[in-house]
Amino acid sequence: MLLWGDSLAAHYFHGLGKTTDPQAVNILQATQAACMPTFNATAQGTASCRSLARQMDAFFRDRKPGLVILSADWLEYARPPRFEGMIADLRQTIARINGSGIPVVLLGPAVQFRSRLPSMLMRAHLRHVDARPDDFVLPDIFPLDQKMKAALPADDRFSYISVVDAICPARQCPLTIEGGIPLAWDHAHLTAEGSVYVMDRLAPVLGLKNK
C-alpha cells in the first residue's frame, strides 16, 4: 500500500502502522510538505514538489502497489479559483493509476481547526469555558468535503472516503481523545494518538485488517 501526498497524508502513516497487521500490510510513504499528489509537475508550486511528481511518475512505470491512498491539504489546493484545476489533476492521476490496474482511495479533507488546537484548549480551560467543536473546528471542511465527493464519483477502482463523516458525527469533531490528548498538535496535523484514533476508524472503510 502506498500513502501519497503532503504533510496531511504523512500524519496518517503512524496510525496506519498501529492499526493494521504488519504481516498483511506493507506501507510505503511518498510525502512532501505542501505537495499535492498529482503527476502534473507543472501544476506544482515549488521545485521540490515538481521533483516529487517526476519521481512518482517514474515509480509507477515499473511498480504496482496493491492500493494507493491519496491525501493532502485539500482546503489549500482548492482555494478559489483553483478547485476545478485541482479536480482535473486528480482525475487524470487517478485514471492513470487505475489504468495500471491499481485501486485508488482518496481521503477527503482532514479535520482542521480555527487555530492551534492545544492553545485553544488551554485558553478555554483558563477561562473556564466549555470547549465546543462548533467554536473550534474550521467549518470550511464540511462543504469542501461534499463538493469533492460530488466531483470525484466512485467506481470499481476508485473510492472517495470522507474523513469528517467517519470521525465527526453530526459535524461534532473530537477535540481530545482518551486521556485528554488533543486530536491535533497544531491547526490540523494529528498527534500520534490522534493518528491512531482516526485511522482506527478509517481502516475498516479502507478494507484494511485491524490488529
Side-chain angles (χ1 to χ4, degrees), residues 21-96:
D21 182 353
Q23 300 301 315
V25 181
N26 180 35
I27 307 168
L28 303 177
Q29 179 180 359
T31 55
Q32 175 72 38
C35 297
M36 189 169 75
T38 173
F39 292 121
N40 186 0
T42 59
Q44 302 286 359
T46 66
S48 60
C49 292
R50 290 190 289 273
S51 175
L52 178 62
R54 289 190 291 268
Q55 290 178 59
M56 298 310 296
D57 181 75
F59 174 87
F60 281 102
R61 287 177 196 158
D62 57 6
R63 293 175 179 85
K64 191 175 178 179
L67 175 68
V68 173
I69 299 177
L70 305 178
S71 180
D73 185 356
W74 306 122
L75 269 178
E76 178 62 31
Y77 307 126
R79 291 186 187 279
R82 301 168 61 188
F83 179 81
E84 294 302 331
M86 178 189 79
I87 293 298
D89 281 346
L90 287 173
R91 283 176 176 163
Q92 291 173 358
T93 296
I94 292 163
R96 177 175 160 188

Side-chain angles (χ1 to χ4, degrees), residues 96-169:
R96 177 175 160 188
I97 297 172
N98 284 168
S100 298
I102 305 168
V104 176
V105 166
L106 186 142
L107 300 182
V111 178
Q112 296 202 29
F113 301 95
R114 297 175 188 270
S115 184
R116 294 175 62 88
L117 179 59
S119 298
M120 295 172 72
L121 290 168
M122 181 57 70
R123 284 195 295 270
H125 174 73
L126 292 174
R127 294 169 182 171
H128 305 288
V129 175
D130 289 338
R132 300 174 59 249
D134 289 343
D135 298 330
F136 281 45
V137 175
L138 193 66
D140 309 48
I141 58 175
F142 299 109
L144 177 60
D145 181 58
Q146 294 301 311
K147 193 174 180 182
M148 289 184 67
K149 189 184 300 183
L152 296 167
D155 60 31
D156 290 344
R157 290 180 175 171
F158 173 72
S159 299
Y160 179 95
I161 293 181
S162 170
V163 175
V164 295
D165 281 355
I167 68 168
C168 303

